[in-house]
Amino acid sequence: MLKEDTDRVDGILKVTGKAKYFAEYELPGLTYGVLVTSTITKGKITGLDTKAAENAPGVIAVVSHLNKPSATAYEQEGGPQMKIFYTDKIFYNGQPIAIVVANTFERATYAASLVKATYAKEEFNTDFAKALKDPKAKKLQGQADYKRGIENAYKTAEVKLEERYFLPIETHNPMELHGIIADWRPNNQVTVYAKTQGVKATQGTIANVFKIPMENIQVNSEFVGGGFGMALRTWPLEIATVMASKHIGKPVKVVITRAQMFTMVGNRPAAIQTIGLGADKDGKLTGITHRAYGETSTYENFTEGVVNMAKFMYQCDNVNTSYAIVPVDLGVPIWMRGPGEATGAFALESAIDEMAHALDMDPLDFRIKNDPETDQQKNKPFSSKNIKEAYKLGAEKIGWSNRKNKPGSLVEGPWQTGYGVSVGVFNANRGKASVKGILKADGSLLLQSATSDIGPGTGTGMTLIANKLMKIPVNKITFELGDSSLPPAPSQGGSATLSTVGSAVNDVCVALKSAIAELAANSNMDATANFVEVLKKNNLPQIEVTKESQSGKEKDNYSMYSFSIHFVQVKVHALTGVVKVSKIVSVGDSGTIVSPKTARSQMLGGAVGGIGMALTEESIIDHRYGRYINNNFADYHVPVNADVPEIDVNFINKPDPYINPMGAKGMGEIALIGFSAAVANAVFNATGKRIRTLPITPDKVLA
Amino acid sequence: MINFQYLRTTSAKSAIALLLKDKNAKFLAGGTNLIDLMKRGVTAPEKLIDINHVPLKQIEQIGNKIHIGALTTNTAVADHALIKEKLPLLSWALQAGASAQLRNVATVGGNMMQRTRCGYFYDTEMPCNKRQPGTGCGAMEGFNRMHAIFGTSEKCIAVHPSDMCVALTALDAEVVLANSKGERKIAFKDFHRLAGDTPQLDNNLKADEMIIRLEIPVNNIAKNYHYLKVRDRASYAFALVSVAAAFELNNNKITDIRLAMGGVAHKPWRLTASENFLKGKEATLSNFEKAAELAMTGAKGFGENNFKLKLAPNTIIEALNLAKSKA
Ligand SMILES: Cc1cc2nc3c(=O)[nH]c(=O)nc-3n(C[C@H](O)[C@H](O)[C@H](O)COP(=O)(O)OP(=O)(O)OC[C@H]3O[C@@H](n4cnc5c(N)ncnc54)[C@H](O)[C@@H]3O)c2cc1C
Ligand code: SF4
């Protein structure tokens, strides 16, 4: 662990239950909404009988497409989006078709069960693999084709392979259920308590849908119980709640069920990928082809960066990629931690391991041999990259020298041991954000920005940046977020918050320091005088500065990425097919580590999520009905403590000279990206069995 | 609102009397299964008779039998010194089930009565002969990875999900049931049923009966035993296949043996043919393998669960291996 170690600033609030999450707000006159959902997969609502529900005790209103309060902008909005309660069309099973509002949650739940819909059913397909095979099914380009050098050069290589990789739907399933409290007041004043990764984004969506000014809308989201990407948009269920509140003139709270978490708030889309790799006999890559297909919905397109990594991760003159999305009759997907890249890395990093095996090379040596000095895609130098150092550190820690290149070599009774490695990489982003800083004569510093914290510890990171610059003790610094009235900041996604908002914190602190220096000079004080003295001398209770911050030209001159290396040791039971991850070493190469403890937690969470992706997580649909079969926590398996070994987290912790003033690159996504391939590679090393379909469950190992 | 009446009683007699009064009444023990089923709309009892205060929480040895009250929690049984010493197989099986939180409230009677975890059974929008006879079996040609390979019927291929019951089947337990007229005792292996033409019935408990206690004979197989549960994650998951194995070993010769399997049938599946084969034989790998092969007679996969045809014998072999190596 690094030296300057600080606890999570809101840790005590969280573990003592004082941190308040959206569903915990008690508003006067609060009512409760429960969503009624379609039980068919495709077709039209021919009738919606809401009488029984309306007459049930405690029911205040039933809102549906029959009586939705007008939201004109919503209806005129372009693009094939699902507009809640706008249409009688059914796009997928589990689509919200009405909201029942009552004076208690239980009454609303019961009344919702009384709403009876009749439908005209149409034929549907929820099976992405089937759609892919169907020449008549739509395939849409998800990203421009990419080509460098010769297309499909792998086909003529000395050593070549071509393999397909399958990823099922994964569902984010944070502990906290999704929902919102909406309070629509007279004069179109709206307050919401949301579970969102972007308070400004939620504010913007509500403004756009209901055509009211931004200033009329207040979004609060101080604490979020896990987002993983699913809270990066305002979902139809949230709009439904705002509509309901507008309709009845009272605050409405909606908290969806665990089963609804599978159908209303997105998922990691299923993907089928083909990787072609070619190399010469000495182990130099001569061709990389990455073709990917991702699942999307019929009413909205969703794309992500599945094939990005293939373009720059390895030195290779001939690279081509393609990515298409295939609509099926399911709810639209959304980014899930390490979006796209995690999907792509499973395929690419598995294939790299397969190639190393074909060449009879150590997969680590193979990677080092093909490690590029510059980014061949952008034709630019990397802003910073210490990947060889990371390889070395991780290899030492996991005991890579114990690994045998020949699979199935390490056997102890029924248990076979294997080692695997894989790389993760994600754009090191920096966006635009504003922060207000208020420096007070009582020695404290208040920082404010409309950013979010879905768990990584945003407040802690920001506090530490300010602490370092201002030399103000951590307990005298407060960072306020999750409030749309604060200076604007982007949504928390793409591992960019620390870089983006942190830079603004940096700029604010620098500005505050120079303001104090100027005051000191004007009042004949020493330039190094303490700000409290300076403020007092000037009879000022406080000074405040607001700064907007964004990157400059460096963005154009360098290729900026964060990297991670995942090493795992697995034990595979030869008779039962059970895979246990027995050791994990993750190394992050993401510039300066601003907040060691919360950074470590990010890596821990990534590894646990990675075990889930590799071994246990899969959302299963019965395609005859278009309904999920395992939409609960007993049957959708996230890893439990017993699945998680000790995780050894390491950071290179060298500043990136260009990305931002802190030298810190994002690390939320890289914690997960690539992890699943490391496990699959280790399973291969243990058993000689290459499993290309996740999750790696006992049946697949035995097959 | 789907209203129900909550009643509490402190004696088995009054519990049964209350049950008799109302066709649509149900006992509430730990509630870990029943409440979930009510929430999902699978069942809607009009009366819940809370039996947690009925004094049936004893764990004691009477003669050569160990008595366990029906309302003893799974944790209390698993942790009890007498059980750990004399029926360690049962303790292990219990600890392989659910989570610590669930085991703390789940009871012996409730565990026996828990319903299948078949996803179609839980989703009232799907066909399921067990939930609603005559609607068809969703799993038969659907998602049946968790489903049965033995004793299946055309109506239902669900499995009984309990771990505890697998051990109890192996241990030759008996169940004492009470009704308004008195008590009756049946062999544990006859408690649960195969689905046959009546998949809606999981067991042979009559509508006016209550589970009172288990009686388990003290045995000579408490040294070489193992409960091996293969599942999708290391804890808190139902068995793909589980095996309860215990035997008495004299000079590497098996003089007594019990074998039962879970996750493979509508009831805990006792492996009598394998037991008979192994009795009197050496505890060798090749004998274990033959026993495992014998166990698979009549096994049948339904697609996604075909892997159990391989996993089941493998798990038998490994459970026997592990039982043997326990010194
Ligand atoms: C998420 C989850 C995971 C689980 N995993 C496992 C697992 O891995 N392995 C496993 O074995 N189990 C597992 N279980 C099931 C658990 O063991 C059962 O839910 C529990 O044993 C039921 O006991 P209970 O006392 O809570 O029963 P209740 O829910 O109170 O009752 C269940 C049924 O039994 C009836 N009943 C209760 N007592 C009596 C009696 N004395 N006489 C007659 N009828 C009675 C009730 O009327 C009801 O119909 C899991 C459960 C959950 C929710
Ligand atoms: S297996 Fe049994 S419980 Fe499952 S759907 Fe078929 S009938 Fe219902």
Side-chain angles (χ1 to χ4, degrees), chain A residues 39 106-107 110 414 573 575-576 578 616 620 622 624-625 627 629 633 637-638 640 642-643 697-699 702, chain B residues 1-2 40 120 123 125-127 138 141-143 145 230-235 237 240 307 310-311 314 318:
Chain A
T39 53
E106 290 77 9
R107 286 174 156 176
Y110 173 62
H573 198 284
L575 283 174
T576 62
V578 166
T616 61
I620 299 160
D622 185 325
R624 298 169 302 168
Y625 305 100
R627 290 176 74 82
I629 288 286
F633 266 165
H637 296 141
V638 296
V640 295
D643 294 300
T697 42
D699 46 325
L702 282 186
Chain B
M1 204 86 87
I2 305 178
R40 295 290 296 264
Y120 301 88
D123 184 346
E125 296 299 330
M126 300 267 213
E141 283 164 21
F143 178 70
R145 182 169 173 270
V230 182
R231 44 188 150 176
D232 284 325
R233 60 181 167 192
S235 170
L240 297 167
F307 74 96
K310 185 167 175 188
L311 178 61
N314 281 3
E318 183 62 359

Side-chain angles (χ1 to χ4, degrees), chain B residues 116 118 120-121 127-131 136-140 147 155-158 199:
Chain B
T116 185
C118 174
Y120 301 88
F121 177 72
C128 171
N129 285 330
K130 184 180 277 298
R131 177 173 29 79
C137 170
M140 192 76 73
H147 288 67
K155 298 255 163 70
C156 175
I157 57 172

Side-chain angles (χ1 to χ4, degrees), chain B residues 60-310:
Chain B
E60 60 193 351
Q61 182 164 353
I62 298 177
N64 67 345
K65 283 186 179 166
I66 291 170
H67 289 212
I68 302 175
L71 287 158
T72 321
T73 67
N74 289 180
T75 299
V77 178
D79 289 352
H80 200 280
L82 189 63
I83 305 296
K84 280 184 162 167
E85 187 201 330
K86 301 205 164 150
L87 303 171
L89 183 67
L90 177 60
S91 177
W92 274 50
L94 277 164
Q95 290 189 36
S99 65
Q101 293 92 327
L102 283 157
R103 294 194 297 268
N104 284 344
V105 290
T107 63
V108 165
N111 194 316
M112 289 167 63
M113 296 291 291
Q114 66 173 299
R115 315 244 28 211
T116 185
R117 307 303 293 202
C118 174
Y120 301 88
F121 177 72
Y122 270 82
D123 184 346
T124 52
E125 296 299 330
M126 300 267 213
C128 171
N129 285 330
K130 184 180 277 298
R131 177 173 29 79
Q132 216 179 327
T135 53
C137 170
M140 192 76 73
E141 283 164 21
F143 178 70
N144 53 38
R145 182 169 173 270
M146 301 299 290
H147 288 67
I149 53 173
F150 289 115
T152 51
S153 86
E154 272 162 29
K155 298 255 163 70
C156 175
I157 57 172
V159 297
H160 191 259
S162 168
D163 291 296
M164 176 190 84
C165 294
V166 180
L168 289 172
T169 303
L171 290 168
D172 285 334
E174 293 171 305
V175 193
V176 177
L177 309 171
N179 53 40
S180 53
K181 289 176 211 89
E183 289 188 355
R184 68 178 178 125
K185 202 192 272 189
I186 61 170
F188 192 89
K189 67 174 170 46
D190 298 329
F191 182 79
H192 294 100
R193 302 164 57 101
L194 288 182
D197 280 336
T198 50
Q200 69 275 21
L201 300 178
D202 295 347
N203 55 56
N204 292 314
L205 187 82
K206 300 212 176 85
D208 65 340
E209 283 182 324
M210 177 177 179
I211 303 168
I212 296 296
R213 69 173 175 275
L214 296 169
E215 294 184 6
I216 311 165
V218 176
N219 55 49
N220 48 354
I221 49 166
K223 215 174 109 204
N224 290 102
Y225 67 89
H226 197 83
Y227 185 76
L228 181 58
K229 181 177 179 185
V230 182
R231 44 188 150 176
D232 284 325
R233 60 181 167 192
S235 170
Y236 197 39
F238 290 94
L240 297 167
V241 167
S242 69
V243 171
F247 47 76
E248 185 187 43
L249 213 51
N250 284 316
N251 297 324
N252 206 36
K253 201 168 253 170
I254 296 172
T255 44
D256 193 4
I257 176 153
R258 314 291 169 75
L259 271 175
M261 226 184 324
V264 292
H266 197 258
K267 59 185 284 186
W269 199 244
R270 182 87 180 245
L271 306 178
T272 321
S274 309
E275 290 179 0
N276 290 340
F277 169 79
L278 283 172
K279 218 169 277 173
K281 298 236 171 43
E282 299 252 309
T284 61
L285 181 60
S286 70
N287 279 333
F288 292 168
E289 284 170 352
K290 269 185 216 129
E293 200 184 309
L294 273 174
M296 297 308 291
T297 314
K300 179 181 164 203
F302 290 84
E304 302 210 1
N305 69 349
N306 286 354
F307 74 96
K308 290 191 182 182
L309 301 176
K310 185 167 175 188

